[in-house]
Amino acid sequence: RDKLELELAELSRKQLVLQTRLQQLKALESENERLRNLLHAGARLSSKIQLAQLVKVNLHGQPHTVLINRGAADGVITGLPVIDEGGLVGQVTQVSPFRSSVSLVTDPAQGVPVQSVRTAMRAIAFGVGGAEELRLLYLDQNADIRIGDLLVTSGLGGVYPSRYPVARVSKIKRHVDQAFIAVHAMPSALLNKGHQVVLVWADSSELSAELDPALPDTADTADD
């Protein structure tokens, strides 16, 4: 009996070790899948991309920034767009030799030129200080916009590559006594979940391109 109890205790210990390793393998598999998605997302936009790791997050302060482990030594410059597998994260705003600060799209100081996939309507999306909300400003009361509309980068302004998901419209408020409507949207990027991002060196032709009213398949694919 004592021998059986010892064997049972040993089997229980081994099972615990195996379960722990299995959880690590599952986490590693998920991480590999995210890496594949990141690389695929970057490859669709530019011939030159670079993976970066988040080393510090400041979602609850002002401004909304994250710190990544790439800097001037890696060729990083201010203004570089940053994406993840979900969509646009933001842009590099400060660079040191081995670290860079990225201002998120939720930062109120950041404005992103966007365009509706459904109607090609253009607007500017600004952060409102919350981790999961953007706002479209100065849209006319008659603007053709609906809850659920996908907003992608328009490419105007020469900062962000075009046709990359930014947000989905989540709330629309119309007031008869006001000239503009209040439009809120949820960011597409995994701003409070991911640990890795992609820096994008977009071609000049990509940055200067404007979306046609009939958006290409890349935008439709992102919508899926």
Side-chain angles (χ1 to χ4, degrees), residues 88 91 104-105 107-114 123-127 156 159-160:
L88 182 68
Q91 66 171 315
L104 306 179
V105 291
D107 188 333
Q110 296 296 314
V112 182
V114 297
I124 305 293
F126 285 92
L156 298 178
V159 176
Y160 298 107

Side-chain angles (χ1 to χ4, degrees), residues 3-222:
K3 183 178 179 181
L4 288 174
E5 288 180 349
L6 288 173
E7 290 178 351
L8 180 60
E10 179 64 15
L11 288 173
S12 296
R13 186 190 67 81
K14 290 182 178 179
Q15 183 182 20
L16 179 59
V17 171
L18 289 174
Q19 287 177 339
T20 302
R21 289 178 178 174
L22 179 60
Q23 293 301 320
Q24 290 175 327
L25 289 173
K26 288 182 177 179
L28 181 60
E29 182 180 6
S30 298
E31 188 68 19
N32 287 338
E33 180 63 25
R34 286 193 293 270
L35 281 171
R36 284 193 293 269
N37 291 336
L38 281 169
L39 290 172
H40 175 69
R44 289 193 297 111
L45 294 176
S46 171
S47 57
K48 183 179 179 182
I49 62 174
Q50 187 176 64
L51 285 172
Q53 184 83 21
L54 271 62
V55 295
K56 185 178 180 181
V57 179
N58 181 27
L59 285 176
H60 302 293
Q62 291 295 340
H64 283 211
T65 59
V66 295
L67 191 67
I68 60 174
N69 66 341
R70 303 290 183 182
D74 304 293
V76 178
I77 58 175
T78 57
L80 277 184
V82 180
I83 65 174
D84 67 11
E85 64 266 38
L88 182 68
V89 172
Q91 66 171 315
V92 175
T93 49
Q94 292 183 351
V95 180
S96 64
F98 304 105
R99 297 285 189 270
S100 295
S101 179
V102 177
S103 292
L104 306 179
V105 291
T106 51
D107 188 333
Q110 296 296 314
V112 182
V114 297
Q115 189 163 14
S116 169
V117 170
R118 183 176 62 86
T119 65
M121 179 198 71
R122 293 189 178 97
I124 305 293
F126 285 92
V128 295
E132 296 190 1
E133 190 173 40
L134 302 176
R135 186 170 182 181
L136 275 63
L137 302 181
Y138 311 121
L139 286 182
D140 186 82
Q141 287 279 1
N142 298 320
D144 184 5
I145 191 164
R146 302 173 185 171
I147 292 177
D149 278 353
L150 176 65
L151 306 173
V152 299
T153 49
S154 68
L156 298 178
V159 176
Y160 298 107
S162 62
R163 304 174 179 87
Y164 203 76
V166 177
R168 280 192 183 275
V169 176
S170 58
K171 183 168 56 178
I172 300 174
K173 292 183 179 179
R174 287 183 167 88
H175 302 282
V176 294
D177 58 339
Q178 295 182 6
F180 304 105
I181 59 177
V183 179
H184 299 261
M186 301 291 291
S188 299
L190 309 178
L191 298 180
N192 58 351
K193 296 180 181 179
H195 298 286
Q196 292 170 313
V197 294
V198 172
L199 297 164
V200 180
W201 281 261
D203 296 333
S204 58
S205 58
E206 172 69 19
L207 289 174
S208 62
E210 293 186 16
L211 289 177
D212 295 326
L215 292 172
D217 293 338
T218 52
D220 294 335
T221 302

